[in-house]
Amino acid sequence: MDVVPPELNSLLPDEIMDTEAIVTDDDLPAVCPAPPNALERQDTPVPMETEVPEIVTLCTAAPSIPVQRTQAMTTLTSTDSTPSSGSMGTQLLLTPSSSAMTLQPSSPQVTGSLQRLSTSLALPANHQLILNKVAASPGSELKPQLLKQDGQKLVVTTLGKGGQPIVLAMPHSAAKAGTLLSAGDGKGQPQQFKVVTIGGRTDLKPMVGVQALSTASQLMGTSQTVQQGQHPKTLQITKKVPVSTAAPMITKFIITKALNSKGLNSQTSLSPVMTGRVLTQSTPLTPPRTISVMDALSSTQSGSSKMAISPLKSPSKLTVVSVASPSPASPQKSVAVPLSMALGQQILHMQQQSTPASPAKAGLSHSTTQTVKPVQTVTVGGVGGPQFKTIVPLATSPNVQHIQVPGSRFHYVRLVTASSGSPPAPTGSSPSVAASLQPAKPMVVNSATVRMSVPIVSAQTMKQVVPKPLTSAAPQVVTSQQQRLIMPATPLPQLQPLPPGTLLAPAPGSGNMGYAVLSAPYVTQLQQSTIVTLASSSGFSSPTCVQTQARLPLNGLSDFPSSLSASESTSRQRKPCNCTKSQCLKLYCDCFANGEFCSNCNCTNCFNNLEHESERLKAIKACLDRNPEAFKPKIGKGKEGESDRRHSKGCNCKRSGCLKNYCECYEAKIMCSSICKCVGCKNFEESPERKTLMHLADAAEVRVQQQTAAKTKLSSQISDLLTRTTPAISSGGGKQPYTFVTKEVAEATVECLMEQAEQAELSNQSQAMAERVILEEFGRCLKRIINYAGKAKTDCC
DNA sequence: GAGTTTGAAACT
DNA sequence: CAGTTTCAAACTC
């Protein structure tokens, strides 16, 4: 089983996502029929500040393929304006890799180290991509491998410190995507690679999809970034997954994110486009596995299943983990994809690769002519169906719109996908993206618009987002022992709400494949033990990293902890619990109640962690048995005519007057409603007590802000004063306002001190006494200085 | 920081 | 479903 660590998600280009345009009701359901209850949560407010839609794709290959191949995918976008359709001679130059690669057309995919290419990419008119050459790793015996097929030239090279070879395929046409390349292994051991072309190229704004292939490097987790110009195009992280020889299983993880597809694909402009990220794991001594990004269409055709995950509360992140080895030929199932829940959704894309690198598969990345601006998006998808796209954060992309949300601590960035050739036609499903051609500029949007965007910076999540340095040379190995499932890979139909850590029922026909839903803390914990090296580059500086957090309704398990209101989510950003007796396995524990693992809590005897998966699952089940809606958000949408937000059950306060945080309504900053059973409630609109409290609260807040500002100002003034007085003393030069320790004063002071010293010496006083006298004299001098200073200041004023 | 209050959750 | 107990957060001192 592979686990996608949260850092990977954080590195996803989610900061530029506009999720609304991505998923529409017309798409995913068609692929994966959603259970009836999968859409129940539509009325649930989506915490716009914390929901980061993600698409996780899990791919499993035929277990019977004991191959040792590593494939890392990297997508590139090209701004080359030269019409390149069908042109020959597209060439991509990369630096030599440490190990040779052999690409075999029919080779199945295996997971591999992710390559992050930190190079500048030039794409001249002759379609020759040249990545900055990086010194080959020691022992590198290879030269750049030029690969040709159908007019393509590919160069196998090594980029970055990982020294892992990368093959980039540049399709000059969609039909030729998926070129297979071959290279010689430095050790004489052929390795199979499959090149999948991601994205296509348009006439005016060609977008070149490049897939980097890497050999089975002993070092895992090394990632590199492919950049075009100064814009990082993709960020992918791979981990080598231990592959059992007895049961070779290829597991692929692709994290994709929804992206506005407008303007990206002329033929599928209305299709949702998703960004993808490939995650793989591998161990040094085991064959690398293949990672691939596949478009939804191809996936569907090849028997893939999709799973829509509804947005969840901020602190949690869900990850789908492949639990069991799939049967290669087993048909895949759709798990449930309510596309109407596109916002903040996570989509789990489970794919079986029963067929090795067949042309059809290689073509999965085919995309029709696409028009892409220097945006960070790369279309990976195919024609006529949902697509996966890789969104590459561009720090200074002109197509990124900074969105400022009043009252939000998050910084939103709207990714604007503009096509030069054909303006994106606004679609009904994603009208907000229609204006994507606008130059990047700060803008203020209302919450309705904001919720379609993705926060790119969360102060409290940033620390979790910081990617591991690329230079990490230590092998990052994730062993199967380190990976845990909260529940066995068996269906759990009885669980309607699916908290993180719950196993997803295998899709019908998917064989014995199961999926586990992991919450962010879970992944975090896994990550702590199973380190995955993430590439870090300037292009992915912390501000662009996003801690994606979402929760999901899976298999119709839409009731699982989910959305809090924006204020709620921001107010309780990962508040540590202090449970002592509940073992954090009851709803008393906020962490547990929110479907989160305890992390950095003060709890004792905590079972809400990886080490107690079974207990936790039992507790979850028990809670659900007691109350199937136990993990539903308490604050939901009220009835018509009522407030937009109200407590789902209402409070039962008796003594607090519902004006203290004991009251859940008041805590959520909402009024008590008709369903509340509170006594002596003062938490209603016209309540004078409530108004008073509100005013006091506002005043207190203002006061705090003022105090903070005053402190800041004082510190600044002190600092400034010090900087101004220092030169006056040291240089003895010009006098400055309120600077009285001038050269003359200092000299006079020194003379006084010397005089005292001489007197002490003449009087044969002891050294201690002499020091005391001198200090006393110094004190007097200071006193005089202060007095003169005060007097001078008074006179000045 | 310790103790108290409070109300939701859990239990009977 | 109601009453009681348990629990952890909120609150007070």
Side-chain angles (χ1 to χ4, degrees), chain A residues 408-626:
Chain A
S408 173
R409 296 185 298 173
F410 297 92
H411 181 200
Y412 294 82
V413 171
R414 176 187 298 277
L415 174 62
V416 178
T417 59
S419 66
S420 62
S422 60
T427 62
S429 61
S430 59
S432 63
V433 188
S436 60
L437 288 177
Q438 298 174 355
K441 60 182 180 181
M443 58 180 295
V444 178
V445 297
N446 56 23
S447 59
T449 304
V450 171
R451 73 188 189 99
M452 297 183 293
S453 300
V454 176
I456 63 171
V457 174
S458 174
Q460 296 189 9
T461 57
M462 279 305 303
K463 60 181 180 181
Q464 304 176 6
V465 172
V466 176
K468 288 180 167 49
L470 174 63
T471 58
S472 176
Q476 309 297 328
V477 178
V478 177
T479 62
S480 59
Q481 291 77 11
Q482 292 174 307
Q483 299 169 351
R484 300 172 183 174
L485 285 178
I486 289 184
M487 296 188 72
T490 56
L492 291 176
Q494 69 277 16
L495 296 179
Q496 279 296 316
L498 185 59
T502 304
L503 182 78
L504 298 181
S510 62
N512 57 346
M513 175 177 288
Y515 299 93
V517 179
L518 304 180
S519 65
Y522 186 94
V523 177
T524 302
Q525 292 186 16
L526 277 177
Q527 178 199 355
Q528 291 173 355
S529 57
T530 64
I531 304 170
V532 176
T533 300
L534 297 180
S536 172
S537 69
S538 60
F540 287 90
S541 59
S542 56
T544 62
C545 298
V546 179
Q547 174 70 25
T548 60
Q549 295 173 348
R551 295 185 183 178
L552 69 170
L554 295 174
N555 289 344
L557 309 177
S558 59
D559 295 337
F560 184 65
S562 61
S563 45
L564 289 178
S565 63
S567 60
E568 221 177 354
S569 60
T570 55
S571 63
R572 59 174 310 286
Q573 286 267 340
R574 200 62 194 91
K575 187 177 182 179
C577 71
N578 301 297
C579 306
T580 57
K581 296 181 179 179
S582 65
Q583 296 177 327
C584 298
L585 290 183
K586 292 189 176 180
L587 296 177
Y588 298 129
C589 176
D590 277 357
C591 302
F592 180 80
N594 291 314
E596 304 165 2
F597 284 98
C598 286
S599 178
N600 299 324
C601 294
N602 303 318
C603 45
T604 58
N605 195 23
C606 178
F607 277 41
N608 187 25
N609 50 38
L610 281 175
E611 285 70 27
H612 303 86
E613 301 155 354
S614 60
E615 291 88 347
R616 183 173 183 271
L617 286 171
K618 290 179 182 177
I620 293 172
K621 188 177 184 301
C623 288
L624 293 176
D625 289 342
R626 284 190 296 264

Side-chain angles (χ1 to χ4, degrees), chain A residues 37 62 75 106-107 147 153 161 202 224 235 259 297 355 360 395 433 440 506 536 572 579 660 741 763-764 782 794:
Chain A
N37 56 349
T75 58
S106 62
S107 64
L147 302 173
K153 288 183 180 180
K161 297 179 181 178
T202 61
Q224 297 173 340
L235 175 59
L259 174 69
L297 177 62
T355 59
V433 188
S536 172
R572 59 174 310 286
C579 306
K660 292 187 176 181
V741 187
S763 60
N764 294 325
L782 285 179
T794 302

Side-chain angles (χ1 to χ4, degrees), chain A residues 687-701:
Chain A
S687 171
E689 292 88 349
R690 176 184 161 276
K691 290 181 178 178
T692 302
L693 273 178
M694 292 305 222
H695 293 157
L696 291 176
D698 293 341
E701 185 176 358

Side-chain angles (χ1 to χ4, degrees), chain A residues 202 204-205 260-270 370-373 399 416-427 430 433-438:
Chain A
T202 61
L204 297 179
K205 297 293 182 180
N260 178 21
S261 63
K262 290 178 179 177
L264 293 176
N265 191 322
S266 61
Q267 296 182 1
T268 60
S269 60
L270 298 180
Q370 296 176 352
T371 299
V372 176
K373 276 233 170 189
N399 296 82
V416 178
T417 59
S419 66
S420 62
S422 60
T427 62
S430 59
V433 188
S436 60
L437 288 177
Q438 298 174 355

Side-chain angles (χ1 to χ4, degrees), chain A residues 752-765:
Chain A
C752 293
L753 298 179
M754 292 300 296
E755 179 65 18
Q756 290 295 326
E758 290 176 359
Q759 290 181 3
E761 186 177 3
L762 292 175
S763 60
N764 294 325
Q765 293 179 354

